[in-house]
Amino acid sequence: MLKDLKLFTELAEYLISEEKNNPVATPIDTSKLYETLDISLNENPTIDQDFIAALKGIIKSTPKTASTSFFNQLFGGRIDRATLGDLLAVMLNNSMYTYKVAGPQVGIEKTILHTICNMIGYPDTADGTFAPGGSMSNYMAVLMARDKYNPKARNEGISNKMTLYTSAASHYSIAKNASFIGVGRDQVRAIKTNDKGQMQAKDLDQQIAKDIDLGFQPFFVNATAGTTVLGAFDDVEQISKVCKKHDLWLHLDGAYCGAVIFSDDYKHLVKGIEHTNSFSVNAHKMLGTPLSCSIIVTKEKKHLHQSFSNDAEYLYQTNDDDFNLGKTSLQCGRRNDALKFWTLWKSIGHKGLKTIVNHQFNLAKFARDYINQHPDYTLYSFEDSISVCFNYKNIPANKLCTALYEDAQLMVGFGNFNNKEFVRMVTINSQLQEKDIVNFFTTIENFPI
């Protein structure tokens, strides 16, 4: 084991060197992948020299998500103390379904969940769990809502038309999850948004009333804290009034930007969060923990038990249900995603998490100011968003982003809103500095296209 730990250190140092010297990996065309890299599996063992060479080849060609040239996804960077926690979780190799096999790691997870519940104004009856990604957090929320409003569905299936509501700019998982729970994609209502991509509460109210008149059973509304493209925040307070009027479950999908709850300067963007029935946030996004670290909490923990608990004598042999997390989880065997967030939070405190969140908004403002000062750019985004959307010299966004990627200059994606396509850079990597933002733009300006 010590030999392999030494090898790991060597490979980690090689990765860090590559991130610095070649921050954008030269992409390999899919048609040439298997002939370019030695990733075959053979009958005989691979000698160490060839094994190490193969690993270094893979490292060299893998996209560098922690580099200062990576602006492509809603995650990025690497925070040391969070990485430390993830490495420890791998070495400890606990599964989180029972206290017997996870021990104090259960307490670590519960401490994170209960602290978040307290922060957002949930009562003592609240609880939560860690899910394998934001899509699954949303799945758990809509499933709990289905079971609350249609309790027979768990055993008998759905026999009536249930409807759910989300903005036209929300995450694609909402429609997918409607299919998973038996409600069906056709019963998802896409609510109109304003020019910032925020759900319009008035249109939501009207659509719900229309469905009730048609004999449907509305049951769930999904609001968003940080839409995927523009990074918009729905008005939770106004939407919650509509949900209360019609008695619907309100979920706040904060996978992208729900971490604003940690910042006194930006938590107003989710004002009214205490009125939601459930809330999800991905610590692997704004808070920089390694993938994946997805959290969902609900105001009434009984809904977790009602939707996800199942007796299994061969598993639950000791301790009470509060410490046997498999009773409130989507999964049985589940890796420890809490420890890496705890090591980060424990080491830097609430103040440190606030600094991480604020820095991303400051970087986004710096980027918007740069764009506004240069006439070759057109800005499409707005304040209070860490998504910076723009076009440069009327070059098609998909053409520019693809060319930059293929030439190993930058990794940045493009998006579309209201039939306008644009480059979407995200300032979610809290390790970035203003000089990295300037380098991003000068790379585009010097790129021959």
Side-chain angles (χ1 to χ4, degrees):
M1 187 68 211
L2 291 177
K3 179 181 178 182
D4 280 338
L5 284 174
K6 183 178 179 181
L7 173 58
F8 175 80
T9 301
E10 177 187 338
L11 294 172
E13 290 174 349
Y14 178 73
L15 169 59
I16 293 169
S17 174
E18 281 293 305
E19 288 171 345
K20 181 179 179 180
N21 298 321
N22 300 293
V24 181
T26 302
I28 301 172
D29 190 276
T30 54
S31 64
K32 299 178 180 178
L33 175 61
Y34 298 109
E35 62 188 64
T36 303
L37 294 176
D38 178 13
I39 54 179
S40 62
L41 297 172
N42 306 309
E43 182 71 21
N44 296 317
T46 304
I47 61 173
D48 281 357
Q49 183 177 353
D50 293 341
F51 178 62
I52 295 170
L55 286 172
K56 288 186 175 181
I58 292 167
I59 290 170
K60 186 177 183 66
S61 298
T62 298
K64 306 300 184 290
T65 63
S67 86
T68 56
S69 296
F70 183 83
F71 298 84
N72 199 74
Q73 303 298 132
L74 305 183
F75 68 91
R78 183 185 300 115
I79 300 179
D80 294 348
R81 289 300 172 90
T83 303
L84 170 66
D86 205 16
L87 294 173
L88 284 172
V90 171
M91 294 292 288
L92 289 165
N93 199 33
N94 300 105
S95 189
M96 299 297 289
Y97 44 24
T98 72
Y99 186 77
K100 186 177 182 180
V101 298
Q105 301 299 326
V106 170
I108 285 172
E109 179 168 315
K110 289 173 69 69
T111 296
I112 291 171
L113 296 169
H114 292 163
T115 304
I116 289 175
C117 287
N118 290 334
M119 289 176 64
I120 64 176
Y122 275 8
D124 292 340
T125 54
D127 204 354
T129 187
F130 280 67
S135 292
M136 287 295 98
S137 293
N138 290 341
Y139 172 73
M140 294 184 76
V142 73
L143 186 63
M144 287 188 288
R146 185 205 69 175
D147 292 347
K148 176 186 177 182
Y149 291 96
N150 192 344
K152 292 183 179 180
R154 292 195 296 271
N155 295 320
E156 300 176 12
I158 293 175
S159 58
N160 63 316
K161 293 286 190 181
M162 303 180 75
T163 52
L164 60 147
Y165 306 82
T166 191
S167 87
S170 67
H171 193 255
Y172 78 103
S173 64
I174 304 303
K176 182 168 65 172
N177 290 333
S179 171
F180 291 170
I181 67 168
V183 167
R185 296 172 187 265
D186 290 347
Q187 271 57 258
V188 178
R189 307 292 187 248
I191 305 303
K192 294 177 183 177
T193 65
N194 61 18
D195 58 359
K196 291 184 177 181
Q198 298 168 307
M199 186 195 299
Q200 296 187 24
K202 182 178 179 181
D203 187 57
L204 172 65
D205 188 20
Q206 292 173 347
Q207 183 62 62
I208 294 170
K210 178 182 176 181
D211 283 333
I212 292 172
D213 289 342
L214 292 172
F216 293 102
Q217 183 191 5
F219 75 104
F220 177 86
V221 174
N222 177 74
T224 307
T227 56
T228 307
V229 176
L230 288 178
F233 290 81
D234 287 338
D235 189 331
V236 179
E237 199 154 46
Q238 290 301 313
I239 293 170
S240 70
K241 293 177 182 178
V242 177
C243 292
K244 184 176 181 181
K245 173 183 175 181
H246 296 285
D247 186 24
L248 273 63
W249 182 291
L250 175 57
H251 173 63
L252 180 59
D253 173 10
Y256 181 12
C257 295
V260 293
I261 63 171
F262 293 95
S263 169
D264 294 336
D265 298 319
Y266 292 98
K267 65 183 180 182
H268 69 275
L269 296 172
V270 290
K271 184 180 179 182
I273 190 173
E274 68 275 10
H275 301 307
T276 62
N277 298 91
S278 56
F279 165 65
S280 59
V281 58
N282 285 356
H284 62 257
K285 291 184 177 175
M286 288 194 82
L287 298 176
T289 68
L291 285 159
S292 65
C293 193
S294 299
I295 298 160
I296 178 170
V297 293
T298 182
K299 188 174 287 185
E300 299 289 341
K301 66 181 179 181
K302 66 181 181 182
H303 295 300
L304 288 165
H305 283 275
Q306 289 170 358
S307 291
F308 304 109
S309 179
N310 206 68
D311 287 334
E313 186 178 348
Y314 57 85
L315 277 181
Y316 307 115
Q317 299 176 347
T318 60
N319 309 106
D320 58 59
D321 282 353
D322 277 349
F323 285 84
N324 287 326
L325 302 183
K327 292 288 188 79
T328 53
S329 173
L330 180 66
Q331 303 147 270
C332 178
R334 177 164 64 88
R335 80 183 305 274
N336 183 2
D337 287 330
L339 183 58
K340 56 194 168 189
F341 186 25
W342 183 87
T343 54
L344 172 65
W345 198 342
K346 183 74 171 177
S347 64
I348 66 175
H350 288 43
K351 291 182 178 179
L353 296 182
K354 173 184 175 179
T355 299
I356 288 174
V357 171
N358 288 355
H359 182 59
Q360 292 164 50
F361 282 97
N362 292 338
L363 287 175
K365 182 182 184 302
F366 181 84
R368 289 193 302 271
D369 289 345
Y370 184 99
I371 290 169
N372 285 326
Q373 293 165 10
H374 291 73
D376 288 333
Y377 292 91
T378 303
L379 181 67
Y380 294 99
S381 56
F382 43 84
E383 292 183 359
D384 293 336
S385 171
I386 61 170
S387 294
V388 182
C389 303
F390 66 92
N391 275 326
Y392 176 69
K393 285 187 174 180
N394 295 317
I395 301 171
N398 59 355
K399 180 180 179 181
L400 177 60
C401 293
T402 302
L404 288 164
Y405 163 66
E406 291 179 344
D407 202 52
Q409 296 295 312
L410 289 172
M411 282 196 70
V412 62
F414 54 92
N416 188 290
F417 183 75
N418 283 347
N419 297 316
K420 290 187 175 68
E421 187 179 80
F422 39 69
V423 179
R424 184 203 63 171
M425 71 171 293
V426 289
T427 57
I428 204 162
N429 179 359
S430 63
Q431 306 302 296
L432 295 172
Q433 302 298 321
E434 290 181 356
K435 64 180 181 179
D436 300 311
I437 303 298
V438 172
N439 182 67
F440 171 87
F441 288 117
T442 54
T443 299
I444 290 175
E445 291 157 14
N446 295 328
F447 188 67
I449 191 171

